[in-house]
Amino acid sequence: MIVLKYTLYGYNNIGVKLKMIYDCAVIGAGPAGLSAAINLAQTNRSVVVFSTKEEDSSIYRAPEVNNYLGFHGVTGKELLQAFYDHAKKMGVEVVHKKVINFYKSGDIFTINANNEFFEAYSVILAIGTPKKTLLENEGEFVGQGISYCAVCDGMLYRGRTIAVIGEAIEAEEEAEYLSELAKKLYYIPLYKKNEFHFKDNVEVILSRPKGVYGEDFVNALELENRILNVDGIFIIRKTMPADQLIYGLEFAEDGHIKVDSKMQTSIEGLFAAGDCTGRPYQVAKAVGEGQIAGLSASTYVKMVKGKQK
C-alpha cells in the first residue's frame, strides 16, 4: 500500500473519515512562505501553504531582479515560478484560498480559509508588507462599521446601505454576496476593468476613497468627488490585515510583526517571516527568514508532539 506524505484526510480505526492535523500551515506563498514550506518538508513535516493568486505577490510584478544570488537578470515572475517548482518537487501542498482568520485552542491552530477549516500545530505568517490603512480614520471604526470580511459580517447589514472597496477582481464575488443582503451597495474598485455585471441595487463608482466618518458608528464615506451616506464599509484586501487574522499578535512601532531571532511571534507556535517582519523588503531576506521560521516551526512541532506522548 502506498501512503501519500501530504494526504489531507485519514481514517480512524472504525473507518470514519477524519481531517488530518498539519504540522504547519503557512499563510502566504511568496519567497518567505515557500522557503519556510520547503524547509519544513525537508525535515519531514506535513505542511500546507495558503495562497491567493501568484500575481498578487509583489515579487511577481518585478520586471528584473538582480540582487538575488545566482539569478541575475531574472524577472520576478520567473523567480517566483522557480520557487513554486521547487516547492512542488518537495511535495508541498498549495491551497488557493484566502485565509480569513485563525485562532489557537490548546496546542492546535484552526485556520478559516474561505470558510473551509484546517488544523495545524504551528502557523507561519508570510503575508508581505504590512498594509497601511486605506482610509482616513479607518482604524477608529474597525468593528464599528468597517469590516474586512463579507461572509463574517454581511448579515449585520441586511436591508442597509453599504460600500465595498475592492483591491482586486476577487472582491467582486464578495460584493455579489453582499448585494443579496443590502438595500443599496456602492462598489468602488481599486483595479482597472471596463465592464461590471452586478444586480440593479449595485452602483459602481470609479473614484478614489479618502476617508470614513461617523460618531460611534460609520455613517459616511468620502470619495475624491462625492460623499456617500452608508451604514457600513467593507474593505476587501488581497490579504487580511495581520491584526484581523488573529488577536493577541504584537507589533513593532513601525507596524511590522514583532519576532525574536527564531522568527517566533508573541503567540507560541506562531511564526512570521519576510516583509511582514520589517525592512529591507528583499527576496534574500525573505528567503532567509523563511528558512529560520520553517526550521523553528519544525522544532516547535517536535516539542508539542513530544508532550502529547
Side-chain angles (χ1 to χ4, degrees):
M1 180 178 69
I2 299 175
V3 179
L4 296 178
K5 185 176 178 182
Y6 297 112
T7 303
L8 180 59
Y9 294 96
Y11 293 85
N12 66 9
N13 57 8
I14 58 173
V16 177
K17 199 173 189 182
L18 299 173
K19 209 167 190 178
M20 72 171 275
I21 301 175
Y22 288 95
D23 289 324
C24 187
V26 179
I27 302 175
L34 292 174
S35 174
I38 288 168
N39 281 277
L40 280 155
Q42 185 69 30
T43 57
N44 205 33
R45 300 296 179 193
S46 59
V47 56
V48 59
V49 178
F50 294 99
S51 169
T52 54
K53 290 189 174 182
E54 292 178 22
E55 52 265 37
D56 288 340
S57 174
S58 58
I59 186 64
Y60 183 93
R61 298 184 294 274
E64 190 172 76
V65 178
N66 286 318
N67 61 349
Y68 189 65
L69 188 64
F71 286 87
H72 180 269
V74 68
T75 67
K77 180 179 178 180
E78 291 168 339
L79 186 59
L80 187 61
Q81 186 60 56
F83 293 163
Y84 264 94
D85 290 344
H86 187 169
K88 185 177 180 180
K89 290 177 181 177
M90 295 289 293
V92 171
E93 179 182 352
V94 178
V95 174
H96 292 283
K97 291 181 179 293
K98 178 181 175 181
V99 173
I100 297 172
N101 52 41
F102 63 98
Y103 63 91
K104 186 180 183 185
S105 178
D107 291 328
I108 305 298
F109 289 91
T110 299
I111 300 99
N112 178 359
N114 286 3
N115 291 311
E116 183 177 347
F117 293 88
F118 299 77
E119 292 184 329
Y121 289 108
S122 64
V123 173
I124 296 174
L125 288 175
I127 55 177
T129 52
K131 297 291 186 180
K132 296 180 180 178
T133 54
L134 177 68
L135 307 171
E136 185 177 349
N137 303 323
E138 178 183 330
E140 299 176 19
F141 288 99
V142 174
Q144 302 296 318
I146 291 283
S147 176
Y148 301 98
C149 176
V151 176
C152 306
D153 300 325
M155 294 299 293
L156 300 174
Y157 297 90
R158 181 180 290 276
R160 309 186 80 172
T161 299
I162 59 176
V164 176
I165 302 170
E167 283 193 344
I169 195 169
E170 289 77 19
E172 293 179 24
E173 294 182 16
E174 299 199 43
E176 288 175 357
Y177 165 73
L178 290 168
S179 71
E180 299 289 338
L181 302 171
K183 176 182 177 182
K184 172 74 175 181
L185 186 147
Y186 298 103
Y187 186 67
I188 304 151
L190 302 183
Y191 53 93
K192 293 182 179 179
K193 187 178 177 182
N194 295 325
E195 294 184 6
F196 297 88
H197 302 282
F198 290 114
K199 292 179 61 180
D200 292 340
N201 66 333
V202 178
E203 179 182 345
V204 178
I205 302 177
L206 304 179
S207 180
R208 195 79 184 176
K210 296 179 64 177
V212 55
Y213 302 97
E215 295 182 3
D216 296 329
F217 210 86
V218 166
N219 61 33
L221 173 63
E222 180 185 8
L223 306 178
E224 288 179 326
N225 56 4
R226 63 189 286 193
I227 302 288
L228 302 177
N229 294 318
V230 296
D231 300 306
I233 301 168
F234 287 81
I235 303 174
I236 310 302
R237 299 187 183 278
K238 296 174 183 176
T239 57
M240 293 288 287
D243 60 347
Q244 297 296 310
L245 281 171
I246 187 169
Y247 295 105
L249 193 61
E250 291 185 8
F251 295 86
E253 290 184 3
D254 60 4
H256 295 95
I257 298 172
K258 188 181 292 187
V259 293
D260 63 16
S261 60
K262 296 181 179 179
M263 313 314 296
Q264 168 79 53
T265 71
S266 56
I267 299 171
E268 187 179 28
L270 175 60
F271 304 84
D275 292 352
C276 63
T277 67
R279 296 180 183 274
Y281 301 147
Q282 300 288 340
V283 177
K285 182 253 193 188
V287 169
E289 288 190 352
Q291 180 190 37
I292 296 170
L295 295 177
S296 296
S298 180
T299 300
Y300 170 79
V301 171
K302 182 179 179 180
M303 181 269 293
V304 170
K305 288 185 172 181
K307 287 194 308 180
Q308 294 177 347
K309 292 182 179 179

